[in-house]
Short mmCIF file of all heavy atoms in Angstrom, two decimals:
data_model
loop_
_atom_site.label_atom_id
_atom_site.label_comp_id
_atom_site.label_asym_id
_atom_site.label_seq_id
_atom_site.Cartn_x
_atom_site.Cartn_y
_atom_site.Cartn_z
N MET A 118 -29.63 62.73 36.27
CA MET A 118 -30.53 61.50 35.93
C MET A 118 -31.26 61.03 37.11
O MET A 118 -32.44 60.69 37.05
CB MET A 118 -29.72 60.43 35.29
CG MET A 118 -30.51 59.21 35.01
SD MET A 118 -31.61 59.42 33.53
CE MET A 118 -30.59 58.69 32.25
N ASP A 119 -30.59 60.95 38.30
CA ASP A 119 -31.25 60.49 39.55
C ASP A 119 -32.45 61.49 39.90
O ASP A 119 -33.40 61.06 40.37
CB ASP A 119 -30.22 60.38 40.62
CG ASP A 119 -29.22 59.20 40.40
OD1 ASP A 119 -29.55 58.33 39.55
OD2 ASP A 119 -28.26 59.15 41.11
N ARG A 120 -32.06 62.80 39.70
CA ARG A 120 -33.08 63.77 40.02
C ARG A 120 -34.33 63.62 39.01
O ARG A 120 -35.49 63.81 39.42
CB ARG A 120 -32.60 65.19 39.94
CG ARG A 120 -31.71 65.48 41.16
CD ARG A 120 -30.98 66.78 41.23
NE ARG A 120 -31.73 67.92 40.52
CZ ARG A 120 -31.18 68.89 39.85
NH1 ARG A 120 -29.92 68.89 39.67
NH2 ARG A 120 -32.01 69.85 39.40
N LEU A 121 -34.05 63.28 37.77
CA LEU A 121 -35.07 63.14 36.84
C LEU A 121 -35.98 61.92 37.21
O LEU A 121 -37.20 62.03 37.20
CB LEU A 121 -34.45 62.87 35.34
CG LEU A 121 -35.47 62.49 34.37
CD1 LEU A 121 -36.38 63.62 33.95
CD2 LEU A 121 -34.72 62.03 33.01
N THR A 122 -35.39 60.87 37.57
CA THR A 122 -36.13 59.59 37.97
C THR A 122 -37.03 59.98 39.18
O THR A 122 -38.15 59.56 39.27
CB THR A 122 -35.11 58.43 38.35
OG1 THR A 122 -34.36 58.14 37.21
CG2 THR A 122 -35.86 57.27 38.79
N ALA A 123 -36.55 60.65 40.13
CA ALA A 123 -37.18 61.05 41.37
C ALA A 123 -38.40 61.95 40.89
O ALA A 123 -39.53 61.73 41.46
CB ALA A 123 -36.41 61.77 42.44
N ALA A 124 -38.18 62.98 39.98
CA ALA A 124 -39.21 63.84 39.64
C ALA A 124 -40.42 63.06 38.95
O ALA A 124 -41.52 63.34 38.96
CB ALA A 124 -38.69 64.91 38.76
N ILE A 125 -40.03 62.06 38.13
CA ILE A 125 -41.03 61.26 37.35
C ILE A 125 -41.83 60.45 38.27
O ILE A 125 -43.09 60.40 38.29
CB ILE A 125 -40.36 60.50 36.24
CG1 ILE A 125 -39.71 61.23 35.21
CG2 ILE A 125 -41.27 59.41 35.65
CD1 ILE A 125 -38.80 60.60 34.26
N THR A 126 -41.19 59.76 39.18
CA THR A 126 -41.87 58.88 40.12
C THR A 126 -42.73 59.69 41.20
O THR A 126 -43.58 59.00 41.79
CB THR A 126 -40.97 57.80 40.78
OG1 THR A 126 -39.92 58.47 41.46
CG2 THR A 126 -40.34 56.85 39.74
N THR A 127 -42.39 60.88 41.40
CA THR A 127 -43.27 61.68 42.29
C THR A 127 -44.17 62.59 41.64
O THR A 127 -44.86 63.39 42.27
CB THR A 127 -42.32 62.49 43.26
OG1 THR A 127 -41.54 63.37 42.59
CG2 THR A 127 -41.49 61.56 44.14
N ALA A 128 -44.17 62.63 40.28
CA ALA A 128 -44.99 63.43 39.37
C ALA A 128 -44.81 64.91 39.68
O ALA A 128 -45.65 65.71 39.74
CB ALA A 128 -46.47 63.08 39.63
N ASP A 129 -43.55 65.24 39.92
CA ASP A 129 -43.21 66.62 40.18
C ASP A 129 -42.74 67.38 38.92
O ASP A 129 -41.65 67.46 38.58
CB ASP A 129 -41.94 66.65 41.21
CG ASP A 129 -41.56 68.10 41.62
OD1 ASP A 129 -41.99 68.97 41.07
OD2 ASP A 129 -40.64 68.13 42.45
N SER A 130 -43.79 67.88 38.24
CA SER A 130 -43.56 68.36 36.84
C SER A 130 -42.71 69.72 36.91
O SER A 130 -42.00 70.00 36.04
CB SER A 130 -44.85 68.53 36.07
OG SER A 130 -45.71 69.43 36.78
N GLY A 131 -42.79 70.40 38.00
CA GLY A 131 -41.96 71.65 38.17
C GLY A 131 -40.56 71.31 38.16
O GLY A 131 -39.70 71.91 37.45
N SER A 132 -40.13 70.38 39.05
CA SER A 132 -38.72 69.97 39.06
C SER A 132 -38.31 69.34 37.80
O SER A 132 -37.14 69.49 37.35
CB SER A 132 -38.44 69.05 40.31
OG SER A 132 -38.70 69.68 41.51
N LEU A 133 -39.18 68.57 37.23
CA LEU A 133 -38.89 67.86 36.00
C LEU A 133 -38.53 68.87 34.85
O LEU A 133 -37.55 68.66 34.20
CB LEU A 133 -40.06 67.02 35.56
CG LEU A 133 -39.79 66.01 34.47
CD1 LEU A 133 -40.46 64.63 34.94
CD2 LEU A 133 -40.31 66.51 33.22
N ALA A 134 -39.33 69.89 34.76
CA ALA A 134 -39.10 70.88 33.76
C ALA A 134 -37.83 71.56 33.86
O ALA A 134 -37.07 71.83 32.84
CB ALA A 134 -40.27 71.92 33.68
N GLU A 135 -37.41 71.83 35.15
CA GLU A 135 -36.14 72.56 35.42
C GLU A 135 -34.87 71.67 34.95
O GLU A 135 -33.80 72.27 34.71
CB GLU A 135 -36.02 72.86 36.84
CG GLU A 135 -37.02 73.97 37.29
CD GLU A 135 -37.06 74.15 38.79
OE1 GLU A 135 -36.17 73.45 39.55
OE2 GLU A 135 -37.78 74.95 39.23
N LEU A 136 -35.04 70.39 34.89
CA LEU A 136 -33.92 69.53 34.58
C LEU A 136 -33.65 69.53 33.06
O LEU A 136 -32.45 69.18 32.68
CB LEU A 136 -34.25 68.05 34.98
CG LEU A 136 -34.39 67.86 36.50
CD1 LEU A 136 -34.85 66.46 36.74
CD2 LEU A 136 -33.02 68.04 37.11
N TYR A 137 -34.50 69.97 32.20
CA TYR A 137 -34.33 70.05 30.72
C TYR A 137 -34.00 71.45 30.29
O TYR A 137 -34.58 72.39 30.72
CB TYR A 137 -35.53 69.59 30.04
CG TYR A 137 -35.84 68.11 30.11
CD1 TYR A 137 -36.65 67.58 31.05
CD2 TYR A 137 -35.18 67.20 29.22
CE1 TYR A 137 -36.77 66.16 31.15
CE2 TYR A 137 -35.39 65.83 29.29
CZ TYR A 137 -36.24 65.27 30.26
OH TYR A 137 -36.39 63.87 30.37
N ALA A 138 -32.94 71.53 29.35
CA ALA A 138 -32.71 72.73 28.71
C ALA A 138 -33.89 73.24 27.88
O ALA A 138 -34.69 72.40 27.38
CB ALA A 138 -31.50 72.54 27.78
N PRO A 139 -34.10 74.54 27.70
CA PRO A 139 -35.14 75.04 26.92
C PRO A 139 -35.26 74.39 25.48
O PRO A 139 -36.41 74.21 24.91
CB PRO A 139 -35.04 76.58 26.84
CG PRO A 139 -34.17 76.85 28.08
CD PRO A 139 -33.29 75.62 28.23
N ASP A 140 -34.19 74.10 24.91
CA ASP A 140 -34.10 73.53 23.57
C ASP A 140 -33.83 72.08 23.45
O ASP A 140 -33.32 71.52 22.47
CB ASP A 140 -33.17 74.35 22.71
CG ASP A 140 -31.67 74.32 23.21
OD1 ASP A 140 -31.56 73.91 24.40
OD2 ASP A 140 -30.80 74.73 22.51
N ALA A 141 -34.00 71.35 24.60
CA ALA A 141 -33.70 69.97 24.69
C ALA A 141 -34.49 69.20 23.63
O ALA A 141 -35.58 69.56 23.28
CB ALA A 141 -34.04 69.42 26.06
N VAL A 142 -33.90 68.02 23.28
CA VAL A 142 -34.55 67.02 22.36
C VAL A 142 -34.73 65.74 23.08
O VAL A 142 -33.70 65.27 23.68
CB VAL A 142 -33.77 66.96 21.09
CG1 VAL A 142 -34.41 65.86 20.17
CG2 VAL A 142 -33.68 68.24 20.32
N ALA A 143 -35.83 65.03 22.93
CA ALA A 143 -35.98 63.80 23.61
C ALA A 143 -36.61 62.84 22.44
O ALA A 143 -37.44 63.34 21.68
CB ALA A 143 -36.94 63.87 24.76
N VAL A 144 -36.25 61.62 22.58
CA VAL A 144 -36.82 60.60 21.67
C VAL A 144 -37.40 59.50 22.47
O VAL A 144 -36.73 58.95 23.38
CB VAL A 144 -35.80 60.11 20.60
CG1 VAL A 144 -36.35 59.02 19.73
CG2 VAL A 144 -35.23 61.23 19.82
N THR A 145 -38.64 59.18 22.31
CA THR A 145 -39.34 58.16 23.08
C THR A 145 -40.07 57.22 22.06
O THR A 145 -40.48 57.60 20.91
CB THR A 145 -40.39 58.71 24.02
OG1 THR A 145 -41.52 59.23 23.26
CG2 THR A 145 -39.74 59.75 24.94
#
Side-chain angles (χ1 to χ4, degrees):
M118 179 71 97
D119 291 346
R120 287 177 34 219
L121 175 65
T122 300
I125 292 167
T126 57
T127 61
D129 183 353
S130 58
S132 294
L133 193 135
E135 293 172 2
L136 295 171
Y137 286 95
D140 60 348
V142 175
V144 178
T145 70

